[in-house]
Amino acid sequence: MKPSVRTPLPGPKAKELLARGERVLSPSYVRPYPFVPARGEGVFLEDVDGNVFLDFMAGIAVNTTGYAHPKVLEAVRAQAERFAHVCFSDFTHEPTLSLAERLVEKVGRGYRVFFGNSGAEAIEAAIKLVRYHTGRPYLLAFTGAFHGRSLGALSLTASKSAYRKGFGPLLPGVVHVPFPDPFRPPLGARPEAVGEVVLNHLEHLFRTALPPEEVAALFLEPIQGEGGYVLPPEGFLPRLKALLERHGILLVADEVQTGAGRTGRFLALEHEGLEADVYVLAKGLASGYPLSALLFREELGSWRPGAHGTTFGGQAVAAAAAHATLDLLEGGLMENAKEVGAFLLAELKGMQRRFPFLGEVRGRGLMIGLDFGSPEEARPDLRDKAQRLAFEKGLLVLAAGPSALRLAPPLILSREEAAMGLEVLEAVFRSL
Ligand SMILES: Cc1ncc(COP(=O)(O)O)c(C=O)c1O
């Protein structure tokens, strides 16, 4: 398959569906461009007018195995024929139990699992767990972070103040610390010193305003997702972890976007040789079926039956999809994400030399950000134009953060398909 756009966008059928949506859908839905999917196959999506797009967004970093993967379909169908739902919060059943065992095996022995349906829901569970277990009221999070939009998760989210506007007061006890972004360093830091400056800032907070012994946990995205695919400087995370340990503060790794193989390892923290006390997984875990998992160290499991629960979390069909996804990840997709991701990153860095408005190209595995503008001047205008032009040329990409475009294709992307995407991006950049 190849990208092929045959109608003006949106095409006539897409236009009609979008107009119907205008009449009944909540105005809070964002529509970055007028794409109306009809069917998918592999890394391609066809819209309702027969236009074919190469998908570098994967339903916001979700569709690990692309569209309609036969192994996922087979697992889903087989489980749906047995039962879809019996409520795992009340009754143990095999597909979800064995998924828990499998996740523990992957993350590390001595963890326990609670299943939810979405990232935000698992973050809520994490907030409750760390407060319950430690008896400490405060939570730390980073500016630029995105942890979801339910009220607890939103209290941690700080990637855009627009997400929070009008919903306050949010959860009390959340304190934000600037994220050490080396491209646009906070706190007046030089890029090479940004990690040090942020750690000093945190220590300063502990000395002056926030008693560390009252802090339950710090929530961390190992690579910020919605904030713009921002990597912390090398060596920052181990030092942060050591600082937290000194104060008995738990580390919650929000691997909703980075996890399930996207960076080339099952968890992004594995690249750092670090372990978190709590992990949150969602998005890519079940190839598009709603499933999230909270994994926490056994010692933190002091909460009792009924302290937390959910009707749908750990639904059996989603668990079956997760099993098939894990089979595929273990069968080569993580390795593929690493290799094709490295190829894309190298080629994009080459492009950066030819297109100076690309201020930074960064990423790991198939989680790549292109930042438009310079440290001094973000160019969201160019980024937005690039997103639209890519769409018109048959490539689906999504904005993230103040001025970045993110590439988060399905992990089945081949080198040839990656090269197709690069060709479109080259054409987009030439016409910017
Ligand atoms: C890192 C991270 N955490 C949490 C969430 C929230 O997940 P959900 O949209 O499934 O509630 C997201 C969603 O983008 C995310 O990227």
Side-chain angles (χ1 to χ4, degrees):
M1 258 201 235
K2 272 177 99 118
S4 137
V5 178
R6 295 178 300 194
T7 69
L9 294 174
K13 289 187 182 151
K15 231 185 209 159
E16 195 224 314
L17 288 160
L18 290 164
R20 279 166 51 192
E22 292 276 316
R23 290 193 286 275
V24 294
L25 297 179
S26 162
S28 59
Y29 284 118
V30 183
R31 296 286 181 259
Y33 41 84
F35 174 63
V36 182
R39 57 180 291 276
E41 189 184 324
V43 293
F44 292 92
L45 273 170
E46 192 178 315
D47 78 0
V48 285
D49 295 291
N51 299 303
V52 177
F53 298 83
L54 175 58
D55 180 13
F56 272 23
M57 59 131 180
I60 321 195
V62 167
N63 300 321
T64 313
T65 56
Y67 296 93
H69 195 291
K71 291 267 191 301
V72 177
L73 286 182
E74 192 186 312
V76 162
R77 190 176 298 118
Q79 184 55 45
E81 281 171 1
R82 286 182 209 113
F83 65 90
H85 168 82
V86 181
C87 190
F88 195 72
S89 275
D90 284 8
F91 303 103
T92 298
H93 53 63
E94 160 58 34
T96 307
L97 169 64
S98 55
L99 180 63
E101 290 167 341
R102 218 169 155 180
L103 289 173
V104 167
E105 198 62 37
K106 295 196 87 58
V107 166
R109 278 171 210 282
Y111 282 80
R112 286 181 178 268
V113 188
F114 179 89
F115 288 104
N117 303 281
S118 68
E121 203 189 315
I123 290 287
E124 295 294 332
I127 294 173
K128 285 176 70 178
L129 177 88
V130 298
R131 277 192 166 170
Y132 188 99
H133 178 77
T134 63
R136 299 177 175 196
Y138 291 105
L139 304 169
L140 283 165
F142 284 104
T143 56
F146 188 93
H147 298 290
R149 303 190 205 218
S150 50
L151 279 172
L154 182 62
S155 309
L156 300 170
T157 289
S159 54
K160 272 188 204 162
S161 56
Y163 291 153
R164 300 162 63 98
K165 189 177 167 192
F167 300 116
L170 298 173
L171 201 63
V174 175
V175 177
H176 284 97
V177 182
F179 190 74
D181 175 355
F183 184 54
R184 297 205 178 94
L187 301 166
R190 284 174 291 111
E192 59 282 11
V194 69
E196 179 88 30
V197 169
V198 166
L199 291 170
N200 288 342
H201 176 79
L202 191 53
E203 303 244 39
H204 177 74
L205 261 184
F206 287 161
R207 281 195 305 273
T208 56
L210 181 64
E213 59 279 12
E214 293 187 359
V215 179
L218 176 137
F219 285 70
L220 166 85
E221 292 167 88
I223 299 173
Q224 289 197 326
E226 305 300 302
Y229 281 23
V230 185
L231 285 83
E234 205 154 330
F236 173 76
L237 294 182
R239 290 184 62 193
L240 174 69
K241 175 90 183 352
L243 173 61
L244 298 177
E245 274 173 8
R246 277 205 296 285
H247 297 292
I249 299 171
L250 301 173
L251 176 65
V252 180
D254 178 346
E255 295 244 16
V256 167
Q257 194 148 172
T258 52
R262 177 148 297 280
T263 66
R265 307 286 284 267
F266 187 66
L267 300 165
L269 269 194
E270 288 175 39
H271 294 282
E272 312 276 347
L274 288 181
E275 276 186 13
D277 301 292
V278 180
Y279 293 96
V280 180
L281 291 167
K283 283 196 184 282
L285 188 56
S287 290
Y289 290 83
L291 184 74
S292 59
L294 172 77
L295 286 109
F296 54 89
R297 281 198 297 106
E298 208 150 46
E299 308 86 271
L300 310 183
S302 56
W303 58 7
R304 293 286 140 241
H308 198 56
T310 157
T311 298
F312 285 119
Q315 193 256 23
V317 173
H323 274 293
T325 305
L326 291 181
D327 290 344
L328 291 161
L329 284 172
E330 287 160 6
L333 285 193
M334 278 192 279
E335 201 49 37
N336 189 63
K338 188 168 135 201
E339 277 168 25
V340 178
F343 164 70
L344 266 177
L345 192 67
E347 293 290 313
L348 288 162
K349 285 197 177 199
M351 260 188 215
Q352 190 190 6
R353 288 191 280 278
R354 279 176 287 125
F355 300 106
F357 52 75
L358 290 177
E360 192 174 54
V361 174
R362 56 192 178 230
R364 192 165 255 165
L366 284 173
M367 183 168 188
I368 296 175
L370 311 174
D371 212 313
F372 288 71
S374 61
E376 298 74 31
E377 193 195 8
R379 294 293 307 271
D381 54 323
L382 281 182
R383 182 272 309 273
D384 293 348
K385 195 167 167 202
Q387 178 182 249
R388 176 74 200 203
L389 283 173
F391 171 57
E392 285 168 7
K393 293 177 192 298
L395 179 71
L396 305 176
V397 287
L398 277 179
S403 53
L405 212 53
R406 70 178 118 180
L407 310 185
L411 308 191
I412 55 167
L413 187 78
S414 68
R415 195 180 266 248
E416 293 67 38
E417 290 158 342
M420 262 182 227
L422 288 167
E423 220 172 281
V424 177
L425 286 172
E426 172 92 30
V428 166
F429 298 153
R430 266 205 234 111
S431 48
L432 269 185

